[in-house]
Amino acid sequence: MARGGGNRSRLLLVLLLVSSLFLITLDLRGVNLAGTFRSGVSTAVSPVENLFSRLFSPIGNFASDIRNFGQSKSKIKELEKQVDLLKSKEVLDEDVIGQLTQLKNVLDLAGRGGYKVVAAKVINRGSSTSFNQTLTIDVGSSDGISRNMTVISDGGLVGVVKSVSSSSAIVLLMSDPTFKIGVRIAGTQSIGVVSGQGGNKYLLQLLDATGEIKVGDTLVARGSEGGRPFVPGVPVGTVTTVQSNASSITQNADVEGISNLDRVGLVAVVVAGPKQDPRDSLIPKPAPTVTVFVTPTPSATN
Amino acid sequence: MSGLRVLNTSLFLLVIFLIQETVISRIKFPIDGFSLYLAALMVLLSLEDRSGSIVFGFIGGLIMDLSIAADTPFGQWALILTLIGYLFSLNKESIGDFTQSPFVFVTFISLASAFALVVYLVIGALLGQNNGTLSHLISIVFANSLWTFLITPLFLPLIIKARTALLSNRERV
């Protein structure tokens, strides 16, 4: 009896393994099974994601809330005083103001670069079990979005559109280990490739062995043929460490991304590139410092 | 195992998958994420009989392959979770001992989730996928098993109750 059960299990196992391998082979040979199914799921899921995006946005930041829990008690008293003050004034939702500022900045960046963009809201993040770093945005093919379009935030590059359904799109983040982009060091002609490392740090490999990299150098996208997948001029990151290795053929450097991918809530998808390469005009300029001169006045005690 | 139970359990897994894709993946966990779906599937597989482990491993894998963020061939998770289901069915008696103690059971589920992710990475590497640096992958697998260990006790009774409700009267006896 047990032997019969064991044989049945083995037969079932072989059958299901063969089915899995058959599906994998079909996919690898170009039969787009995954695309069809995943697009269907994406279309079905995006309204739910939108709903949860509105309902659960405070949950998303619970980790940082836990970290700040120790400081909370002292802040509560201070905040209670402020609540009374705020009640008397017209209060706008801070979240809305933050989003409006982000939207203004991203549209400003797109305007300066001459990019035609479609603004989008981030409604979800990729699952950790897929090992891919992705975002889901609330615009899709019905809004003119298609694959391989550049996605920017108020700081600079965010990623590239990987797949599209009618009402949502998946963006492959620049931090993904498979992500690579051709860059130019701003102010020079040195070119290189920046690759994602899975975290907030990126690796720059300079193609020109004689080129010079300095800490603080800003990198901008070189742009692709026809503006896809990358439009030119988008700020990518800043060099933080130069790796000096005499035996290496290429020069390498660690780069910090300009966009904070953990905090990005609003993005813009570049649907049409600029007529002219904006070169270095989109690099964020340091905020002007305010100098206050104080002239002491003589006291009136004569 | 009746066809109706296969259908019921598949729908149950699909609901958990939707919760994972729409709610859980929104949460920015420190280090990296947690997969409610993988943990729930491991609980289910460990409670199933021999053929149930294999069948629900395959179905669970197919559902996981539907993930919109996945960039892998359709069927990769189905292959991996069928193999995991088979390992569960081979060691059914030993796993039965684990389920007696909640602490040991949760530890087992965390390790099984981590093992599934490692197998996914190994098969991915064989298929030529680039999933990032070794340290990054280790941190993801470690974080996933840590979060599974910490969060699973919260929903474990619910999963067990739901699974019992899905059983037919004959299976419950």
Side-chain angles (χ1 to χ4, degrees):
Chain A
M1 189 78 181
R3 192 174 168 179
N7 283 341
R8 215 182 76 179
S9 286
R10 247 169 258 143
L11 183 68
L12 192 66
L13 173 75
V14 171
L15 193 74
L16 296 178
L17 285 181
V18 169
S19 307
S20 307
L21 289 168
F22 178 67
L23 287 171
I24 294 173
T25 312
L26 276 182
D27 198 291
L28 291 175
R29 288 185 71 86
V31 180
N32 197 11
L33 272 176
T36 316
F37 287 132
R38 285 173 187 157
S39 171
V41 170
S42 178
T43 308
V45 160
S46 62
V48 187
E49 284 178 327
N50 253 321
L51 179 72
F52 280 113
S53 170
R54 289 195 197 114
L55 289 176
F56 289 94
S57 56
I59 293 175
N61 297 324
F62 97 106
S64 57
D65 295 342
I66 286 173
R67 274 199 293 273
N68 295 329
F69 188 69
Q71 304 163 7
S72 299
K73 275 190 176 177
S74 58
K75 280 190 177 173
I76 287 173
K77 283 186 180 176
E78 191 187 322
L79 288 171
E80 277 173 348
K81 284 179 190 170
Q82 286 183 16
V83 166
D84 294 330
L85 190 71
L86 287 169
K87 273 182 184 169
S88 62
K89 295 178 183 174
E90 190 178 313
V91 184
L92 273 176
D93 187 355
E94 201 174 293
D95 195 35
V96 174
I97 294 172
Q99 286 190 3
L100 281 173
T101 313
Q102 263 191 11
L103 184 63
K104 182 190 165 295
N105 292 343
V106 73
L107 292 177
D108 183 42
L109 182 83
R112 280 189 287 135
Y115 310 131
K116 191 179 169 195
V117 295
V118 172
K121 195 175 164 194
V122 175
I123 54 172
N124 207 349
R125 282 168 191 276
S127 171
S128 68
T129 49
S130 67
F131 288 90
N132 279 339
Q133 310 225 341
T134 56
L135 290 178
T136 309
I137 53 175
D138 67 345
V139 292
S141 54
S142 56
D143 306 286
I145 308 299
S146 59
R147 282 192 70 205
N148 289 332
M149 284 179 167
T150 312
V151 180
I152 58 174
S153 71
D154 53 350
L157 187 72
V158 167
V160 68
V161 176
K162 190 178 81 164
S163 61
V164 185
S165 69
S166 62
S167 57
S168 68
I170 305 284
V171 178
L172 183 71
L173 292 175
M174 61 182 289
S175 55
D176 189 87
T178 58
F179 190 95
K180 287 188 193 311
I181 178 172
V183 293
R184 181 172 55 76
I185 298 178
T188 72
Q189 291 303 319
S190 298
I191 57 172
V193 176
V194 165
S195 0
Q197 301 289 297
N200 293 325
K201 297 283 176 193
Y202 304 87
L203 178 71
L204 166 69
Q205 289 179 298
L206 206 62
L207 300 180
D208 179 8
T210 58
E212 196 188 337
I213 321 174
K214 295 191 301 294
V215 172
D217 276 347
T218 306
L219 309 172
V220 292
R222 282 186 61 224
S224 317
E225 185 74 34
R228 285 199 186 190
F230 303 111
V231 287
V234 180
V236 174
T238 313
V239 174
T240 52
T241 322
V242 179
Q243 300 171 6
S244 51
N245 187 353
S247 61
S248 177
I249 300 169
T250 56
Q251 290 192 71
N252 295 346
D254 293 325
V255 173
E256 192 174 28
I258 281 188
S259 303
N260 183 353
L261 301 180
D262 288 337
R263 287 274 162 202
V264 70
L266 276 164
V267 294
V269 184
V270 181
V271 291
K275 287 182 181 133
Q276 282 184 334
D277 186 346
R279 303 292 295 173
D280 301 342
S281 63
L282 302 183
I283 295 169
K285 294 180 177 56
T289 51
V290 179
T291 311
V292 180
F293 294 99
V294 180
T295 313
T297 51
S299 60
T301 53
N302 287 334
Chain B
M1 192 168 43
S2 66
L4 185 67
R5 192 159 104 69
V6 173
L7 185 71
N8 282 342
T9 309
S10 305
L11 286 174
F12 174 62
L13 285 172
L14 196 64
V15 169
I16 299 177
F17 172 75
L18 288 176
I19 295 171
Q20 168 71 38
E21 290 287 301
T22 52
V23 183
I24 306 293
S25 58
R26 288 195 59 79
I27 303 172
K28 295 169 208 149
F29 287 91
I31 319 175
D32 224 297
F34 156 69
S35 176
L36 169 78
Y37 180 76
L38 197 57
L41 186 62
M42 291 299 143
V43 172
L44 208 70
L45 294 187
S46 58
L47 297 174
E48 283 298 325
D49 61 7
R50 285 181 193 280
S51 53
S53 301
I54 302 173
V55 170
F56 291 124
F58 178 73
I59 294 172
L62 276 185
I63 293 173
M64 212 153 162
D65 275 317
L66 291 174
S67 175
I68 45 181
D71 199 18
T72 48
F74 192 78
Q76 187 171 330
W77 268 116
L79 176 73
I80 291 155
L81 291 173
T82 307
L83 287 171
I84 300 282
Y86 179 63
L87 289 179
F88 273 78
S89 78
L90 273 186
N91 300 291
K92 197 62 16 202
E93 283 77 18
S94 323
I95 292 168
D97 295 340
F98 293 152
T99 54
Q100 304 304 315
S101 152
F103 178 77
V104 179
F105 190 33
V106 168
T107 311
F108 173 72
I109 295 301
S110 315
L111 293 175
S113 300
F115 181 68
L117 291 175
V118 171
V119 177
Y120 173 86
L121 289 172
V122 171
I123 290 187
L126 292 175
L127 290 172
Q129 291 156 11
N130 175 13
N131 286 311
T133 57
L134 188 64
S135 58
H136 173 61
L137 298 178
I138 290 171
S139 77
I140 291 182
V141 173
F142 172 74
N144 201 291
S145 53
L146 178 71
W147 286 118
T148 304
F149 181 76
L150 294 174
I151 300 174
T152 303
L154 302 177
F155 66 86
L156 185 65
L158 200 70
I159 300 279
I160 293 173
K161 271 186 191 162
R163 191 232 164 215
T164 312
L166 292 170
L167 293 174
S168 62
N169 287 337
R170 213 169 68 180
E171 285 166 320
R172 247 175 257 175
V173 176

